[in-house]
Amino acid sequence: MQDPISEFKTKRGIARLLAACRNTRDGLAWAWRSEAAFRQEVVGIAIATVVALLLPVSSFQKLVLVGVLVLVLIVEIVNSAIEAVVDRISLERHPLSKVAKDMGSAAVALSLLLALATWAVVLYNRFF
């Protein structure tokens, strides 16, 4: 068997799965505690999810409406991870640090625009 690339990659089987679940819980907890944007999006998405589930549209359309909202949260978490890594490397202002953070922010904005467009199309096709 090949040696692990990282000491963090030594778990196998159920131990790896349990560690992954703990890491997921810790990541979500950190995002909730530390990221105001994440908390705001969770609240908005929770409300929008209830609305999506109550809409008189197909199950597939409900899945798409909720799916694009979950995508926003995914991108927000990735953006927060980028920001954490940049800040870990250095708190000093640097043009590349700004680029990394700005690109993460742009990804969040694009995911929000995709969610908005998806909701607009589904609602337009259903009600107009």
Side-chain angles (χ1 to χ4, degrees):
M1 181 178 346
Q2 183 179 1
D3 288 336
I5 295 170
S6 163
E7 67 179 282
F8 301 108
K9 299 282 185 181
T10 58
K11 292 183 172 71
R12 298 208 184 323
I14 197 77
R16 187 199 61 75
L17 181 60
L18 292 172
C21 289
R22 283 190 300 274
N23 294 341
T24 298
R25 178 202 63 211
D26 293 348
L28 290 170
W30 185 88
W32 180 262
R33 279 191 320 271
S34 306
E35 296 293 328
F38 182 79
R39 289 190 302 273
Q40 292 165 349
E41 289 162 351
V42 166
V43 170
I45 288 169
I47 294 166
T49 296
V50 171
V51 171
L53 296 176
L54 295 174
L55 284 172
V57 296
S58 72
S59 295
F60 180 75
Q61 288 171 315
K62 290 177 186 194
L63 174 65
V64 170
L65 292 175
V66 173
V68 294
L69 299 175
V70 172
L71 178 64
V72 170
L73 288 179
I74 293 167
V75 176
E76 184 65 53
I77 288 171
V78 171
N79 179 46
S80 295
I82 291 167
E83 290 176 352
V85 169
V86 168
D87 290 346
R88 163 65 172 89
I89 292 169
S90 175
L91 293 176
E92 168 187 322
R93 291 190 185 271
H94 189 281
L96 289 177
S97 297
K98 181 177 178 359
V99 167
K101 289 184 173 191
D102 289 351
M103 291 178 75
S105 180
V108 173
L110 290 174
S111 71
L112 286 165
L113 287 173
L114 174 63
L116 181 64
T118 302
W119 275 72
V121 167
V122 170
L123 293 176
Y124 181 83
N125 284 334
R126 175 62 181 99
F127 294 108
F128 299 103

